[in-house]
């Protein structure tokens, strides 16, 4: 962690002819002309939500030259609105504007907006360009990298979607200054995850800098975002469609999705559920003898210090978990596949956890 | 056209690691075990419509071994039901069955079913396997080859969708014996199109064999299907995502889509609209001096002999056409791009038709 932090830095997600840049910096929303080379044509549809629109929509739109045909769509805020119906509103707006295959969608907002706009772009006229402008820590370090797009279904999270890569990602760290601290913590869950699955040195750095991160100190937060994006970009470049190593990015997510689905989307933030889920995965890894007491304690301490919940919801039984977990996309032909820790900074996908062991974990895991 | 016709033949659509076979033959529905190598896992969802289900659903399902988990979904028949809501019913069924990423969707029916099931597969859990079992001539020669999937929107045909390739296509020519003659003619529109854009010898062969084709003589119809699939497969292999030569497959479609959209989906069959649309494109090509009187007369005669309408709907004004045509996906940044004939067996995409010339054609083109 000795790199010099400059006001702006650019990473590249290497995916052959679908490679794209991630620009990270302070005040980048006022420099959206950096996006001009990535527009497919004159038609631009900026999609955001009603919480973000008053803060940043005008700033972003003001940066585009007059000759562009810039339209906007404002959707309701919240994970509970991550539905095919809301994606339909984007399609309606595109068609009402008469936008063609050379239009460009811009997603201004958190992961929910990014996922929906990406899916809208993947499916409009069988695929048009889109650009991510993520405004939450979670979306900056996670959903803006990797090309996963989609919406929820009443029977499961992210069940409908596509792999569709953006043309560019623009991360303005200034947007984090207006982010509620609960959402900042939810983003830190994914940052911690990168350390846990891939990089013990980064994990140690996070332990040391957690308070600075929670205070949104610009240099520290930019460093954490860049490092997180780099780890994810490396993994995605290795395995774009999640046949292998990319599955490790789901540490804590099988448990976490079960919590989110059971509680009703939007009641637990995604990152909060992943925080508790990573703790559950770590405890299962410990129960299997893969990590020791000290490692488990470090995992739980860093999750807690990020301001995340460790306990599972009081109203979830063992069977509530099991039923929801079997619907998770990682479970191929009835075998329950879980991401588990083999060390701090190293993880694997295993389908060999005996059901009895899992039931035992779910039974004794602390509830609220 | 000197190849020997065997009871079964197999073509390959060459798309690298997404290449797939098209099996064409008599009685193949009873031999669906030929599909076994293309199933991704044990979970199979056969999707059909309420017109096809009583004819072929049991036959197809009976061919699968007992250890597979085979489910069915029956949707309402007709282009007017080619909507995101009906695709939603497929997703509901997949989730209610608990099907995972290794499930396989099978589309049993015409182009509407094929397009919807393909799109449902493209978007379920960000993409699962699907197989086409087309039961209409149109879908056998057109929509089962090329990977275009999607649904209609009130403001435009096929506006929502994805490029998604099947794992295999199974064409049983027996299914054409139950096809209404109006639908057979609609399929012949696309067969004629292949001759017009690419192969003058095939066009001559069609002129000679049109009556046999309309009588569904097995050897002749199998020959026409195989030749059509081969021409389309060659074009798609050259240009999978329609950046260049693939656009030629849209001969007659810009006019045709305008007719379908204006009349309300389902009132004119797709192939009927394409038949009239090809005649309009040919007359425009003639007006521009690209083809002579004799060529125009041959185009219109072959369309008419296939049992297709030449006249445009009486209730469509010049502006009704122009407004609908500008929303067509082929029109990039306001320029109207049309597929026109440069000779019999040769076509091009042109965006240089003066609006006045187009208006003149639309004004004088015969109406019902």
């Amino acid at each position: 962690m000795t790199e010099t932090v400059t006001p702006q830095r650019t990473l590249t997600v290497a995916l052959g002819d679908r490679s794209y840049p991630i620009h990270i910096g302070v005040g980048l929303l006022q420099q959206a002309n950096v996006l001009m080379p990535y527009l497919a044509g004159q038609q631009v549809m900026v999609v955001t939500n009603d919480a973000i629109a008053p803060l940043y929509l005008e700033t972003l739109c003001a940066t585009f030259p007059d000759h562009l045909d810039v339209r906007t769509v404002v959707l309701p805020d919240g994970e509970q609105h991550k539905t095919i119906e809301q994606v339909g509103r984007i399609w309606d707006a595109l068609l009402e504007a008469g936008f063609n295959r050379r239009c460009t969608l811009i997603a201004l907002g958190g992961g929910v907006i990014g996922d929906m706009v990406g899916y809208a772009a993947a499916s409009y006229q069988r695929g048009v360009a889109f650009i991510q402008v993520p405004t939450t820590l979670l979306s900056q370090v996670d959903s803006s990298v990797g090309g996963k797009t989609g919406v929820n279904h009443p029977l499961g999270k992210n069940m409908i979607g596509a792999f569709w890569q953006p043309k560019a990602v623009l991360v303005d760290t200034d947007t984090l200054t207006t982010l509620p601290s609960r959402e900042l913590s939810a983003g830190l869950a994914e940052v911690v995850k990168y350390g846990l699955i891939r990089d013990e040195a980064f994990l140690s750095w996070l332990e040391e800098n957690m308070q600075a991160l929670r205070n949104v100190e610009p240099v520290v937060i930019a460093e954490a975002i860049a490092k997180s994006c780099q780890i994810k970009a490396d993994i995605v470049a290795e395995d774009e469609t999640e046949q292998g190593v990319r599955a490790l990015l789901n540490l804590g997510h099988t448990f976490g999705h079960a919590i989110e689905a059971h509680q009703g989307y939007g009641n637990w933030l995604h990152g909060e559920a992943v925080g508790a889920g990573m703790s559950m995965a770590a405890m299962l890894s410990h129960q299997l003898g893969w990590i020791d007491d000290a490692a488990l304690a470090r995992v739980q301490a860093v999750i807690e210090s990020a301001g995340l919940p460790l306990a599972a919801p009081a109203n979830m039984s063992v069977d509530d978990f099991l039923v929801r977990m079997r619907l998770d996309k990682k479970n191929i032909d009835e075998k329950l596949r879980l991401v588990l820790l083999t060390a701090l900074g190293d993880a694997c996908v295993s389908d060999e956890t005996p059901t009895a062991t899992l039931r035992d974990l779910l039974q004794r895991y602390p509830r609220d």
Side-chain angles (χ1 to χ4, degrees), chain A residues 137 176 179-188 213-214 216 221:
Chain A
L137 181 59
L176 300 180
L179 194 68
S181 76
R182 192 178 157 197
E183 286 200 44
L184 191 79
S185 290
L188 287 171
L213 289 167
R214 294 184 71 182
V216 198
I221 202 87

Side-chain angles (χ1 to χ4, degrees), chain A residues 128-207:
Chain A
V128 298
F130 90 111
I131 290 169
Q132 296 265 25
V133 185
T135 59
T136 65
L137 181 59
L138 178 61
S139 57
Q140 289 169 355
V141 299
D142 179 37
S143 46
S144 68
V145 187
K148 283 191 180 181
T149 71
V151 295
N152 298 327
H153 185 281
L155 294 177
K157 192 173 156 64
N158 293 321
M159 284 290 148
I160 309 305
F163 284 99
W164 196 247
Q165 303 295 342
K167 298 296 178 193
V169 177
L170 188 79
V171 174
D172 183 345
T173 54
D174 279 350
T175 59
L176 300 180
T177 60
T178 58
L179 194 68
S181 76
R182 192 178 157 197
E183 286 200 44
L184 191 79
S185 290
L188 287 171
E190 301 286 345
V191 176
V192 166
K193 181 190 77 180
Y194 295 117
L196 288 175
I197 63 173
R198 191 85 162 193
D199 192 330
E200 203 267 337
F202 183 46
L203 185 69
S204 300
W205 182 87
L206 290 172
E207 289 169 333

Side-chain angles (χ1 to χ4, degrees), chain A residues 23-52:
Chain A
H23 299 289
I24 303 168
V26 172
L28 287 188
L29 269 184
Q30 282 89 4
Q31 301 167 44
N33 57 332
V34 73
L35 294 177
M36 292 297 293
Y38 306 104
L39 302 181
Q42 310 286 311
Q43 301 172 334
V44 177
M45 182 71 73
V46 183
V47 184
T48 189
N49 67 41
D50 52 20
I52 295 297

Side-chain angles (χ1 to χ4, degrees), chain A residues 161-292:
Chain A
F163 284 99
W164 196 247
Q165 303 295 342
K167 298 296 178 193
V169 177
L170 188 79
V171 174
D172 183 345
T173 54
D174 279 350
T175 59
L176 300 180
T177 60
T178 58
L179 194 68
S181 76
R182 192 178 157 197
E183 286 200 44
L184 191 79
S185 290
L188 287 171
E190 301 286 345
V191 176
V192 166
K193 181 190 77 180
Y194 295 117
L196 288 175
I197 63 173
R198 191 85 162 193
D199 192 330
E200 203 267 337
F202 183 46
L203 185 69
S204 300
W205 182 87
L206 290 172
E207 289 169 333
E208 287 159 29
N209 291 279
M210 192 56 81
Q211 199 50 54
L213 289 167
R214 294 184 71 182
N215 293 342
V216 198
E217 291 180 17
V219 172
V220 181
I221 202 87
E223 179 63 29
I225 293 168
K227 184 75 183 170
S228 296
C229 287
Q230 191 62 59
I231 291 176
K232 181 158 185 186
D234 290 346
I235 289 176
V236 169
E238 256 178 76
D239 176 24
E240 187 179 356
T241 57
E242 199 170 341
Q243 307 302 305
V245 64
R246 184 164 176 172
L248 300 184
L249 294 172
N250 289 312
L251 176 69
H253 283 60
T254 302
F255 294 105
H257 286 170
I259 293 173
E260 278 188 281
H262 184 270
Q263 300 302 102
Y265 296 124
N267 293 314
W268 276 55
L269 296 180
H270 174 72
E272 292 171 337
V274 167
M278 290 194 297
S279 166
M280 296 176 82
M283 193 182 278
L284 184 55
S285 307
H286 178 263
Q287 190 168 327
L288 292 165
W290 296 2
I291 60 171
D292 62 20

Side-chain angles (χ1 to χ4, degrees), chain A residues 335-368:
Chain A
K335 281 197 174 173
L336 186 60
R337 291 160 62 87
L338 289 170
V339 184
L340 297 173
L341 294 175
T342 49
L344 294 187
D346 205 4
C348 72
V349 177
S350 170
D351 60 7
E352 291 173 9
T353 306
T355 304
T357 308
L358 181 61
R359 291 195 83 93
D360 179 55
L361 171 88
L362 293 169
Q363 188 66 51
R364 69 195 183 84
Y365 193 86
R367 301 298 198 277
D368 258 340

